Amino acid sequence: MRKFQIAIIGGGVIGSAIARELSKYFLDIIVFEKGSDVASSTSKANSGVIHSGINSPPKSLKARFCVEGNRIFHQLAKELSVPIKWTGKYVIAKNEEEEKELVKLKDIGIKNKVMGLRLIETDEVNFNEPNIKCKSALWVPSAGITLPYQLTIALAENSVMNGVKFLLETIVIDIKKNNNYFEIKTNKGIFKSDFIINAAGLNCIDIVKMLEEPDFRVYPCRGEYLVLDKKYAFLIKSLIYQIPQEKFGFLGVHITPTVDGNILLGPTSEYIAEINDTRTTKQKINILLKEAKEIIPIIKDKAVINAYSGIRCKIYPPEYDGISDFRIENSRVNPGLINLLGIESPGLTAAPAIAKEVVKIISKNIVLSKKTKFVSKYDKYIKFSDMTNERKSKMINKNASWGRIICRCENVTEAEVINALSNPLGAKTLSSIKYRCRAGMGRCQGGFCTQHIVRIMGEEFNLDITKINLKSNKSNLFIGKTRV
Amino acid sequence: MEKLGCEKKLINVTNDVSVIGSGPAGIVAGISAREFGAKKVIIIDRNNWIGGILPQCIHDGFGIEEMGISLTGPEYIDKYVEKAKNLGITVMKETTVLKINNELEIFAVSRKGLMKIKSKSIILAMGCREKTRGNLIIPGDRPSGIYTAGLAQTFINLYNIMPGKNIVILGSGDVGLIMARRLKIEGANVKGVIEILPYPNGLPRNVVQCLKDYNIPLLLSHTITSIEGKDRINKVIISKVDKNKKPIPDTEKIIKCDTLLLSVGLIPENEISRNAGIILDDSTGGPLVNQYYRTTIPGIYACGNCLQVYDTVDLLSIHAKIAGKQSAKNAIKGKNHNNYAEKNIIVKPGTGIKYIIPQMINKTGIIDFSFRLEKPNKFSKISFELNKNEIFRGNLKYSNSTGIINMKVKIPNYSPKSILEVILNE
Ligand SMILES: Cc1cc2nc3c(=O)[nH]c(=O)nc-3n(C[C@H](O)[C@H](O)[C@H](O)COP(=O)(O)OP(=O)(O)OC[C@H]3O[C@@H](n4cnc5c(N)ncnc54)[C@H](O)[C@@H]3O)c2cc1C
Ligand SMILES: Cc1cc2nc3c(=O)[nH]c(=O)nc-3n(C[C@H](O)[C@H](O)[C@H](O)COP(=O)(O)OP(=O)(O)OC[C@H]3O[C@@H](n4cnc5c(N)ncnc54)[C@H](O)[C@@H]3O)c2cc1C
């Protein structure tokens, strides 16, 4: 039975950010993730927005960590080579009623110390965003966009470089508290640890239940999205948000560009019964398209290349949604169990600030000493399509597989696929490749590259084709050979 | 002009005619260009094989009209590949074209490095790609086991890999029909082909040979309204649809399956054309062309499935030959002089016509048109109206599909900026 000082449950953006922050210190850390890769749950299915902090109630943890997280991202994205764009955001008002709401939002923003907020007229909006219909808008310059899965992957893999142990496909089944340590039962054996960090997202309550009676409930709330083809990238440059107004379980469509040049429509907002019900529905798809067309009339149904959904971990009932907040606390009943509860939006933005908070909580219990040799830089997934021609030629000269395009839509090369497959976490699903090098993420959605990736998995990594999975360990791609 | 900054690093090549894509369209066009006098012809393809989609089409049915025999895909393409070799045409395999521009430069990459290829003419023959679940926006879970029919065909025919056992096929396009039979032969249980239209989308001969002969059910006026399964797909929910293709409530049925194949349409592959500034036709998805299959950029021609999605290879080859011949003429003449804006006729699809090719004409005499109707029609007439005056009327044979129709029409003298409208009269 191996003993660790810190056991983190959950390899989402929160668990991974905490792992990386803690890996700056001399600590023995393990992370358990039940999925076949990190970012296999909510952290891959969100808007990828680095929020400014205008939407969270003043004095809340959400507001505090969001504003602080937003600030940290400037440095963090550089260290981890994660793409980020500070696009700014327009919250648009369609009529006078909504204009009043803009003023309120601006006041909240000022209270939360969000800089640069400005109410602007249609003309100015249209000067920058000619395709948007609105009466006026609130300009929020500090909002940005990033790639949430790539961020989570970089956080996790950088912590592995700094000594953290990550176990994938490892589910925490039960926990016992013995005198001064926890005994953690998983499908891969039993582990001991001094601290447990409960970063299990939607499952946070299950972890608590293993040790004590929870004083909260989880109200899963689904958000559906549509993804538009890159050729519509010209439509918007910034985030376009509407005044939040709850109608038919819908917030008013947000139109969000992604770093890669796609556009997201959504999310919707709908309380559902099951935490893993990530279905998309016809009804919401129709609403999303209809509302998006009201703001950008030239959007067509045929622009859609994909649909997905993510589930918010809300721990307050719907009627209290306006005041709900994160809970980040050391358990009173079982000190050493550090719970991160209700980390819904803006959890992605807040992640690096939350990680620092967790370090603070731990430092109250043990003396932390900083490593001098912490490696803060992470730059594994360089992209062929980002390179100058000179660099491309050099790379091909060194290794010819940089000259073999595998993904026709995103121009991903064989070298990048091999690189993605040799990730330090040992993730080997089709999705894990897609999230690391974009192969399969473009308009043909894997129609061309899948065969090449499967071939590489077989030839270069000796994987049995019947064991190749899409995402989870039960999502096999094939049933076998046609003939033996 | 594009800034490269490192010209030295590029492998430079100059050609008379460069063809992008080595499918039947590219090979046939390349051969024709060579036969009509182009000296140096190369064909570029990103695959490590020649022939585009054909090597995986191991069923027969190729060349029936063109050669009078029914060949398999590989047999059909081999005939042309042999000929191309004899004519000294070079095929660059595993070479991906990243970009072309209106100076007729091709930027490509292979294991050897980056390349800049200058040509007197370029022929676009990039083929098409399959529509995916995302294009249809089918709601539900996002499990494994969902393939486009062509990808499933690739795995079975080229890699000997079986994608699944209990199969549902959405869409009655030809690829889907052929795969229904193929999977059945491999021992899979093909539960049915589901088609939203009230008639099958594929060729009538494929409906008979692939479904009827194998007792595979075809459910017309039905669609899939939800996909279920957290890890691997385990069922689909289907519904009847009304005249407007909207699902009718309370007609839902569950079909258990472990695999869903999509055969719901093909999209001409034109990213590099669009980025070069070539104007595309919204209805065909391919470039706008004139009677010589020349695109809106002088010197660039288009043929095959990247021009329009063909039903059979026969007509495709006939058209590709013309594109090849014209590209050679252009290469020999040197500069291509007659620009588009000048004295041409704009061809417009009128009532009942989905699209028509060519979309522009700049000569009198016999022109070969190909077009599709919006829906199958019985014994109707097609009229060609030049500036509202009928210049030709053709009879349509009875047809229960919306296949490509071919018509030759003599264009009389006309004044600049004329409009030719093609109309269906029932
Ligand atoms: C629709 C939507 C849009 C959003 N948009 C934004 C946005 O634009 N900006 C922003 O800042 N935030 C946004 N958020 C919030 C943000 O996505 C979340 O706050 C964040 O991803 C939560 O991360 P996490 O690590 O807590 O959870 P998760 O990513 O869910 O990670 C928890 C992990 O724990 C694992 N796990 C659970 N139980 C166990 C177990 N027993 N054993 C082992 N592993 C286990 C799970 O597999 C999972 O991978 C959005 C959220 C949603 C739903
Ligand atoms: C499953 C199936 C069954 C069919 N069955 C029949 C049949 O029975 N009888 C019949 O007559 N017809 C049939 N057809 C129709 C027809 O024969 C094919 O559609 C035909 O192969 C299309 O030819 P193409 O040359 O336009 O495209 P493709 O064969 O698709 O070739 C295009 C080539 O271009 C390459 N390419 C594209 N972009 C680039 C780039 N940027 N750089 C380098 N290379 C590039 C591609 O890799 C590909 O090799 C069938 C088609 C399919 C898909």
Side-chain angles (χ1 to χ4, degrees):
Chain A
M1 200 188 314
R2 260 202 79 186
K3 171 110 195 306
F4 293 85
Q5 284 167 289
I6 316 261
I8 299 172
I9 305 173
V13 70
I14 300 294
S16 303
I18 294 171
R20 179 178 188 261
E21 199 58 36
L22 285 171
S23 72
K24 294 177 178 171
Y25 304 88
F26 285 103
L27 287 169
D28 219 359
I29 307 166
I30 187 160
V31 183
F32 303 111
E33 169 53 54
K34 67 176 177 184
S36 299
D37 197 355
V38 295
S40 54
S41 184
T42 312
S43 299
K44 72 162 188 302
N46 52 55
S47 311
V49 174
I50 303 306
H51 284 296
S52 61
I54 59 162
N55 293 97
S56 307
K59 298 217 167 72
S60 62
L61 292 182
K62 280 186 182 173
R64 190 180 125 203
F65 292 134
C66 180
V67 174
E68 194 186 327
N70 181 298
R71 192 179 47 73
I72 300 175
F73 260 99
H74 288 262
Q75 171 74 19
L76 186 66
K78 273 191 211 126
E79 285 181 356
L80 298 177
S81 316
V82 172
I84 194 163
K85 278 191 191 156
W86 298 101
T87 53
K89 159 165 115 176
Y90 293 97
V91 186
I92 58 167
K94 288 190 280 196
N95 50 46
E96 275 168 28
E97 201 110 318
E98 293 192 343
E99 286 188 312
K100 287 185 202 140
E101 294 295 318
L102 286 188
V103 178
K104 281 193 211 158
L105 267 181
K106 184 177 173 215
D107 289 344
I108 296 174
I110 290 169
K111 282 198 187 123
N112 291 347
K113 302 203 169 61
V114 180
M115 310 300 272
L117 299 175
R118 221 152 48 80
L119 290 167
I120 57 175
E121 298 301 318
T122 325
D123 291 353
E124 196 180 334
V125 178
N126 284 345
F127 183 76
N128 294 314
E129 297 286 357
N131 297 309
I132 301 303
K133 268 181 25 187
C134 69
K135 191 152 188 296
S136 65
L138 174 64
W139 168 240
V140 189
S142 60
I145 47 176
T146 187
L147 293 174
Y149 40 84
Q150 206 165 311
L151 170 74
T152 308
I153 288 166
L155 286 165
E157 295 187 355
N158 183 228
S159 25
V160 173
M161 282 175 65
N162 287 296
V164 174
K165 192 164 173 55
F166 260 84
L167 287 185
L168 299 177
E169 297 186 3
T170 308
I171 181 163
V172 172
I173 302 162
D174 200 12
I175 309 173
K176 275 200 198 73
K177 171 103 196 201
N178 283 343
N179 305 326
N180 47 7
Y181 64 87
F182 294 96
E183 209 176 281
I184 305 163
K185 191 176 159 200
T186 75
N187 58 329
K188 301 256 173 91
I190 297 174
F191 299 83
K192 279 190 205 170
S193 179
D194 296 332
F195 287 88
I196 286 182
I197 294 167
N198 173 8
L202 289 156
N203 294 105
C204 60
I205 193 163
D206 304 326
I207 304 298
V208 172
K209 278 183 190 159
M210 292 174 191
L211 288 159
E212 61 200 49
E213 191 58 39
D215 61 358
F216 66 98
R217 256 191 68 184
V218 169
Y219 303 85
C221 177
R222 182 167 59 204
E224 295 185 30
Y225 292 90
L226 296 177
V227 187
L228 305 191
D229 191 294
K230 277 187 179 178
K231 66 179 180 227
Y232 297 89
F234 70 92
L235 287 175
I236 50 165
K237 293 197 280 289
S238 339
L239 311 171
I240 311 294
Y241 273 45
Q242 296 193 71
I243 298 286
Q245 47 174 256
E246 192 91 25
K247 52 171 184 183
F248 329 113
F250 191 57
L251 296 171
V253 68
H254 300 165
I255 306 179
T256 310
T258 70
V259 174
D260 288 321
N262 299 88
I263 287 181
L264 303 177
L265 306 180
T268 55
S269 171
E270 177 189 12
Y271 286 88
I272 52 171
E274 289 196 37
I275 59 164
N276 59 356
D277 185 1
T278 51
R279 262 182 292 190
T280 54
T281 63
K282 188 81 197 164
Q283 184 212 8
K284 293 292 187 292
I285 288 167
N286 288 343
I287 298 181
L288 282 174
L289 276 169
K290 184 174 154 279
E291 295 247 343
K293 285 177 195 163
E294 274 169 28
I295 306 174
I296 309 184
I298 52 177
I299 290 182
K300 289 190 197 121
D301 292 6
K302 114 171 157 178
V304 177
I305 61 163
N306 203 358
Y308 69 91
S309 78
I311 297 173
R312 303 172 184 87
C313 176
K314 291 188 183 281
I315 51 170
Y316 290 76
E319 54 279 22
Y320 293 103
D321 197 35
I323 55 151
S324 70
D325 203 1
F326 299 155
R327 285 176 60 183
I328 299 167
E329 52 205 29
N330 195 344
S331 160
R332 286 214 193 109
V333 191
N334 291 291
L337 166 66
I338 298 165
N339 285 315
L340 295 115
L341 312 174
I343 313 297
E344 50 157 328
S345 194
L348 171 70
T349 314
I354 290 176
K356 287 195 191 294
E357 178 71 11
V358 170
V359 173
K360 227 190 259 168
I361 297 174
I362 290 184
S363 71
K364 284 186 191 143
N365 295 276
I366 47 174
V367 183
L368 296 179
S369 69
K370 253 195 159 139
K371 291 179 191 163
T372 46
K373 289 205 180 119
F374 172 73
V375 185
S376 63
K377 275 264 173 211
Y378 195 67
D379 191 10
K380 182 170 166 65
Y381 303 111
I382 39 173
K383 283 163 74 179
F384 178 78
S385 58
D386 286 347
M387 293 177 191
T388 61
N389 282 344
E390 193 146 21
R391 178 107 194 271
K392 283 178 182 164
S393 301
K394 253 195 206 147
M395 297 301 278
I396 300 171
N397 263 338
K398 264 199 286 181
N399 173 355
S401 60
W402 280 100
R404 177 70 176 113
I405 304 272
I406 290 301
C407 165
R408 63 176 163 197
C409 307
E410 303 288 329
N411 284 342
V412 180
T413 62
E414 192 170 280
E416 288 163 277
V417 171
I418 293 173
N419 190 27
L421 269 163
S422 15
N423 64 77
L425 294 171
K428 292 224 165 19
T429 64
L430 213 56
S431 295
S432 64
I433 297 164
K434 168 169 111 174
Y435 288 129
R436 281 169 180 78
C437 68
R438 284 196 65 81
M441 217 173 252
R443 51 176 70 91
C444 92
Q445 294 283 306
F448 180 72
C449 66
T450 307
Q451 58 172 302
H452 294 292
I453 295 175
V454 167
R455 175 177 56 77
I456 293 169
M457 283 174 144
E459 283 172 10
E460 311 256 338
F461 291 81
N462 280 324
L463 293 176
D464 172 359
I465 52 117
T466 55
K467 302 222 165 71
I468 297 175
N469 293 316
L470 177 65
K471 44 185 185 180
S472 65
N473 55 3
K474 284 181 218 128
S475 61
N476 58 312
L477 288 184
F478 312 113
I479 59 165
K481 286 274 179 187
T482 47
R483 286 165 293 265
V484 273
Chain B
M1 244 310 272
E2 128 137 27
K3 232 177 92 192
L4 279 164
C6 54
E7 302 278 323
K8 283 168 274 147
K9 289 271 183 307
L10 297 174
I11 304 164
N12 276 291
V13 189
T14 312
N15 295 311
D16 286 339
V17 177
S18 301
V19 186
I20 308 174
S22 76
I27 298 274
V28 168
I31 290 171
S32 160
R34 188 76 187 81
E35 285 176 341
F36 281 92
K39 290 204 179 63
K40 195 171 167 203
V41 176
I42 63 154
I43 301 177
I44 308 165
D45 201 297
R46 59 186 170 202
N47 288 327
N48 56 357
W49 65 82
I50 302 175
I53 195 80
L54 290 198
Q56 74 178 55
C57 297
I58 58 172
H59 57 279
D60 69 345
F62 293 82
I64 298 174
E65 285 157 56
E66 187 191 350
M67 308 176 186
I69 34 168
S70 179
L71 303 173
T72 65
E75 284 168 346
Y76 179 90
I77 197 71
D78 278 354
K79 288 203 183 294
Y80 283 110
V81 172
E82 198 54 43
K83 202 164 173 190
K85 270 199 195 128
N86 294 339
L87 288 168
I89 296 170
T90 318
V91 184
M92 299 165 76
K93 288 190 281 188
E94 291 198 295
T95 305
T96 303
V97 173
L98 301 170
K99 190 151 80 172
I100 62 173
N101 63 23
N102 56 9
E103 318 251 317
L104 305 196
E105 291 168 322
I106 296 174
F107 298 91
V109 63
S110 77
R111 292 184 201 270
K112 294 204 184 81
L114 293 181
M115 272 162 263
K116 184 161 102 177
I117 300 161
K118 289 200 166 185
S119 321
K120 292 177 183 150
S121 300
I122 293 176
I123 300 175
L124 307 174
M126 288 90 66
C128 57
R129 63 167 188 274
E130 298 176 279
K131 278 195 189 164
T132 66
R133 173 182 180 185
N135 297 119
L136 305 180
I137 335 182
I138 309 171
D141 293 320
R142 289 170 298 288
S144 70
I146 305 173
Y147 292 95
T148 54
L151 182 58
Q153 186 180 46
T154 308
F155 279 121
I156 297 179
N157 291 352
L158 300 183
Y159 294 83
N160 288 338
I161 294 176
M162 219 25 204
K165 208 171 203 146
N166 293 299
I167 322 275
V168 171
I169 299 176
L170 178 64
S172 59
D174 286 311
V175 197
L177 299 178
I178 283 157
M179 284 313 291
R181 175 177 65 184
R182 186 78 189 89
L183 280 155
K184 190 97 180 187
I185 293 172
E186 286 297 336
N189 175 12
V190 182
K191 297 206 153 182
V193 175
I194 297 166
E195 170 58 59
I196 197 166
L197 297 170
Y199 52 88
N201 218 339
L203 294 171
R205 70 162 195 249
N206 282 337
V207 177
V208 175
Q209 292 169 10
C210 300
L211 299 188
K212 293 222 171 86
D213 290 356
Y214 288 82
N215 291 321
I216 296 170
L218 171 63
L219 282 149
L220 298 173
S221 297
H222 274 78
T223 193
I224 292 181
T225 47
S226 187
I227 289 173
E228 307 209 353
K230 284 275 164 266
D231 301 297
R232 174 103 190 181
I233 184 171
N234 56 40
K235 58 171 105 58
V236 293
I237 316 272
I238 63 163
S239 287
K240 263 202 181 118
V241 297
D242 62 21
K243 266 190 253 142
N244 304 316
K245 299 189 204 166
K246 291 259 174 299
I248 304 170
D250 302 322
T251 59
E252 285 98 357
K253 259 193 249 149
I254 293 174
I255 306 184
K256 290 199 174 151
C257 61
D258 61 19
T259 306
L260 171 63
L261 296 195
L262 303 174
S263 173
V264 288
L266 302 166
I267 306 173
E269 178 101 27
N270 277 300
E271 274 63 52
I272 54 177
S273 330
R274 182 182 296 109
N275 292 340
I278 289 170
I279 301 172
L280 303 182
D281 181 334
D282 222 25
S283 324
T284 57
L288 296 180
V289 289
N290 70 3
Q291 69 281 355
Y292 300 138
Y293 298 98
R294 203 197 76 187
T295 69
T296 51
I297 296 184
I300 303 185
Y301 298 77
C303 60
N305 277 351
C306 79
L307 171 66
Q308 65 171 325
V309 177
Y310 286 88
D311 304 321
T312 64
V313 78
D314 310 69
L315 186 62
L316 175 150
S317 295
I318 293 167
H319 291 171
K321 271 178 199 151
I322 304 172
K325 170 179 167 187
Q326 295 300 331
S327 73
K329 276 190 162 177
N330 176 63
I332 294 161
K333 254 192 324 205
K335 267 236 159 313
N336 190 304
H337 35 269
N338 51 356
N339 212 333
Y340 251 147
E342 299 155 26
K343 68 163 204 181
N344 58 27
I345 303 178
I346 307 257
V347 185
K348 277 192 174 169
T351 325
I353 310 289
K354 193 164 165 198
Y355 70 72
I356 180 151
I357 288 179
Q359 296 91 341
M360 304 184 184
I361 299 171
N362 57 1
K363 81 183 253 296
T364 54
I366 303 283
I367 302 283
D368 195 348
F369 290 94
S370 54
F371 58 91
R372 281 182 201 272
L373 305 181
E374 275 169 351
K375 49 179 196 279
N377 264 278
K378 293 166 196 173
F379 310 106
S380 33
K381 291 188 191 321
I382 297 284
S383 53
F384 285 70
E385 295 182 356
L386 185 61
N387 300 323
K388 303 271 178 218
N389 296 318
E390 188 174 277
I391 55 164
F392 179 81
R393 174 179 286 242
N395 288 323
L396 279 190
K397 276 185 273 177
Y398 170 82
S399 159
N400 59 357
S401 77
T402 51
I404 294 183
I405 299 163
N406 227 15
M407 263 180 199
K408 287 193 169 45
V409 176
K410 190 167 174 222
I411 303 293
N413 283 329
Y414 59 90
S415 50
K417 297 213 173 100
S418 288
I419 305 258
L420 178 65
E421 200 173 355
V422 184
I423 301 161
L424 175 77
N425 298 305
E426 288 184 61

Short mmCIF file of all heavy atoms in Angstrom, two decimals, chain A residues 399-424:
data_model
loop_
_atom_site.label_atom_id
_atom_site.label_comp_id
_atom_site.label_asym_id
_atom_site.label_seq_id
_atom_site.Cartn_x
_atom_site.Cartn_y
_atom_site.Cartn_z
N ASN A 399 12.88 15.21 -39.10
CA ASN A 399 12.01 14.06 -38.91
C ASN A 399 10.91 14.14 -39.97
O ASN A 399 10.02 14.99 -39.89
CB ASN A 399 11.43 14.10 -37.50
CG ASN A 399 10.39 13.03 -37.28
OD1 ASN A 399 10.00 12.29 -38.20
ND2 ASN A 399 9.92 12.93 -36.06
N ALA A 400 10.99 13.23 -40.94
CA ALA A 400 10.12 13.32 -42.12
C ALA A 400 8.63 13.26 -41.78
O ALA A 400 7.79 13.73 -42.55
CB ALA A 400 10.48 12.22 -43.11
N SER A 401 8.29 12.70 -40.63
CA SER A 401 6.86 12.57 -40.33
C SER A 401 6.20 13.93 -40.07
O SER A 401 4.98 14.01 -40.01
CB SER A 401 6.62 11.60 -39.17
OG SER A 401 7.25 12.05 -38.01
N TRP A 402 7.00 14.97 -39.96
CA TRP A 402 6.43 16.33 -39.91
C TRP A 402 5.90 16.75 -41.28
O TRP A 402 5.20 17.74 -41.39
CB TRP A 402 7.46 17.36 -39.43
CG TRP A 402 7.63 17.37 -37.94
CD1 TRP A 402 8.63 16.77 -37.23
CD2 TRP A 402 6.75 17.97 -36.98
NE1 TRP A 402 8.43 16.97 -35.88
CE2 TRP A 402 7.30 17.71 -35.71
CE3 TRP A 402 5.57 18.72 -37.07
CZ2 TRP A 402 6.70 18.16 -34.52
CZ3 TRP A 402 4.98 19.16 -35.90
CH2 TRP A 402 5.54 18.89 -34.64
N GLY A 403 6.21 15.98 -42.31
CA GLY A 403 5.76 16.34 -43.64
C GLY A 403 4.54 15.55 -44.09
O GLY A 403 4.06 15.70 -45.20
N ARG A 404 4.06 14.68 -43.22
CA ARG A 404 2.93 13.83 -43.59
C ARG A 404 1.67 14.32 -42.88
O ARG A 404 1.52 14.14 -41.68
CB ARG A 404 3.25 12.38 -43.19
CG ARG A 404 2.12 11.41 -43.47
CD ARG A 404 1.95 11.19 -44.96
NE ARG A 404 0.92 10.19 -45.23
CZ ARG A 404 -0.26 10.47 -45.81
NH1 ARG A 404 -0.53 11.71 -46.17
NH2 ARG A 404 -1.13 9.52 -46.03
N ILE A 405 0.76 14.94 -43.66
CA ILE A 405 -0.47 15.45 -43.07
C ILE A 405 -1.45 14.30 -42.82
O ILE A 405 -1.73 13.51 -43.73
CB ILE A 405 -1.14 16.49 -43.99
CG1 ILE A 405 -0.18 17.64 -44.31
CG2 ILE A 405 -2.46 16.99 -43.39
CD1 ILE A 405 -0.15 18.78 -43.37
N ILE A 406 -1.94 14.20 -41.62
CA ILE A 406 -2.84 13.12 -41.21
C ILE A 406 -4.27 13.64 -41.11
O ILE A 406 -5.22 12.93 -41.38
CB ILE A 406 -2.40 12.59 -39.82
CG1 ILE A 406 -1.10 11.83 -39.94
CG2 ILE A 406 -3.47 11.75 -39.16
CD1 ILE A 406 -1.18 10.66 -40.86
N CYS A 407 -4.42 14.87 -40.65
CA CYS A 407 -5.74 15.46 -40.49
C CYS A 407 -5.88 16.57 -41.51
O CYS A 407 -5.21 17.57 -41.44
CB CYS A 407 -5.91 15.99 -39.07
SG CYS A 407 -7.31 17.08 -38.83
N ARG A 408 -6.77 16.33 -42.50
CA ARG A 408 -6.85 17.26 -43.62
C ARG A 408 -7.50 18.59 -43.24
O ARG A 408 -7.24 19.60 -43.86
CB ARG A 408 -7.64 16.64 -44.76
CG ARG A 408 -9.08 16.36 -44.36
CD ARG A 408 -9.87 15.83 -45.52
NE ARG A 408 -11.10 15.22 -45.02
CZ ARG A 408 -11.85 14.40 -45.72
NH1 ARG A 408 -11.50 14.06 -46.93
NH2 ARG A 408 -12.94 13.90 -45.22
N CYS A 409 -8.37 18.55 -42.24
CA CYS A 409 -9.08 19.79 -41.90
C CYS A 409 -8.21 20.73 -41.09
O CYS A 409 -8.25 21.93 -41.25
CB CYS A 409 -10.35 19.48 -41.12
SG CYS A 409 -11.42 18.28 -41.92
N GLU A 410 -7.43 20.18 -40.18
CA GLU A 410 -6.64 21.02 -39.28
C GLU A 410 -5.15 20.97 -39.63
O GLU A 410 -4.33 21.53 -38.90
CB GLU A 410 -6.84 20.53 -37.84
CG GLU A 410 -8.29 20.52 -37.39
CD GLU A 410 -8.86 21.91 -37.19
OE1 GLU A 410 -8.09 22.81 -36.80
OE2 GLU A 410 -10.06 22.11 -37.43
N ASN A 411 -4.81 20.30 -40.73
CA ASN A 411 -3.42 20.15 -41.13
C ASN A 411 -2.51 19.66 -40.01
O ASN A 411 -1.49 20.27 -39.69
CB ASN A 411 -2.88 21.45 -41.71
CG ASN A 411 -3.40 21.68 -43.12
OD1 ASN A 411 -3.89 20.75 -43.77
ND2 ASN A 411 -3.32 22.91 -43.59
N VAL A 412 -2.91 18.56 -39.40
CA VAL A 412 -2.11 17.96 -38.34
C VAL A 412 -1.23 16.88 -38.96
O VAL A 412 -1.69 16.10 -39.79
CB VAL A 412 -3.01 17.33 -37.26
CG1 VAL A 412 -2.18 16.71 -36.15
CG2 VAL A 412 -3.98 18.36 -36.71
N THR A 413 0.03 16.83 -38.54
CA THR A 413 0.96 15.89 -39.16
C THR A 413 1.09 14.60 -38.34
O THR A 413 0.71 14.55 -37.17
CB THR A 413 2.36 16.51 -39.28
OG1 THR A 413 2.83 16.79 -37.96
CG2 THR A 413 2.35 17.78 -40.09
N GLU A 414 1.68 13.60 -38.99
CA GLU A 414 1.93 12.33 -38.33
C GLU A 414 2.78 12.53 -37.07
O GLU A 414 2.52 11.92 -36.03
CB GLU A 414 2.67 11.40 -39.31
CG GLU A 414 2.75 9.98 -38.87
CD GLU A 414 3.27 9.08 -39.99
OE1 GLU A 414 2.47 8.72 -40.87
OE2 GLU A 414 4.48 8.77 -39.99
N ALA A 415 3.76 13.42 -37.15
CA ALA A 415 4.63 13.66 -36.00
C ALA A 415 3.82 14.14 -34.80
O ALA A 415 4.07 13.74 -33.66
CB ALA A 415 5.69 14.70 -36.35
N GLU A 416 2.83 14.98 -35.07
CA GLU A 416 2.02 15.50 -33.96
C GLU A 416 1.15 14.42 -33.34
O GLU A 416 0.91 14.42 -32.13
CB GLU A 416 1.13 16.65 -34.46
CG GLU A 416 1.90 17.93 -34.77
CD GLU A 416 1.10 18.89 -35.63
OE1 GLU A 416 1.09 18.71 -36.86
OE2 GLU A 416 0.48 19.80 -35.07
N VAL A 417 0.66 13.51 -34.18
CA VAL A 417 -0.16 12.41 -33.66
C VAL A 417 0.71 11.50 -32.78
O VAL A 417 0.32 11.10 -31.68
CB VAL A 417 -0.82 11.62 -34.81
CG1 VAL A 417 -1.49 10.36 -34.28
CG2 VAL A 417 -1.82 12.49 -35.54
N ILE A 418 1.91 11.20 -33.26
CA ILE A 418 2.82 10.35 -32.48
C ILE A 418 3.17 11.04 -31.16
O ILE A 418 3.17 10.43 -30.09
CB ILE A 418 4.09 10.02 -33.30
CG1 ILE A 418 3.68 9.13 -34.48
CG2 ILE A 418 5.15 9.35 -32.44
CD1 ILE A 418 4.79 8.86 -35.49
N ASN A 419 3.40 12.34 -31.25
CA ASN A 419 3.71 13.13 -30.06
C ASN A 419 2.55 13.08 -29.06
O ASN A 419 2.75 12.89 -27.86
CB ASN A 419 4.00 14.56 -30.51
CG ASN A 419 4.56 15.41 -29.40
OD1 ASN A 419 5.19 14.90 -28.48
ND2 ASN A 419 4.31 16.70 -29.47
N ALA A 420 1.34 13.23 -29.58
CA ALA A 420 0.16 13.21 -28.71
C ALA A 420 0.00 11.85 -28.05
O ALA A 420 -0.37 11.74 -26.88
CB ALA A 420 -1.08 13.57 -29.50
N LEU A 421 0.30 10.80 -28.82
CA LEU A 421 0.15 9.45 -28.28
C LEU A 421 1.21 9.13 -27.22
O LEU A 421 1.01 8.25 -26.39
CB LEU A 421 0.25 8.42 -29.42
CG LEU A 421 -1.07 8.04 -30.07
CD1 LEU A 421 -0.81 7.36 -31.40
CD2 LEU A 421 -1.89 7.13 -29.16
N SER A 422 2.33 9.85 -27.27
CA SER A 422 3.35 9.59 -26.26
C SER A 422 3.24 10.58 -25.11
O SER A 422 4.24 11.07 -24.61
CB SER A 422 4.75 9.58 -26.87
OG SER A 422 4.78 10.15 -28.14
N ASN A 423 2.04 10.89 -24.70
CA ASN A 423 1.86 11.85 -23.61
C ASN A 423 2.25 11.23 -22.27
O ASN A 423 2.12 10.03 -22.07
CB ASN A 423 0.41 12.36 -23.59
CG ASN A 423 -0.58 11.25 -23.30
OD1 ASN A 423 -0.73 10.82 -22.16
ND2 ASN A 423 -1.25 10.77 -24.34
N PRO A 424 2.72 12.07 -21.35
CA PRO A 424 3.22 11.56 -20.06
C PRO A 424 2.13 10.95 -19.16
O PRO A 424 2.45 10.27 -18.19
CB PRO A 424 3.84 12.79 -19.38
CG PRO A 424 3.32 13.96 -20.12
CD PRO A 424 2.95 13.51 -21.49
#
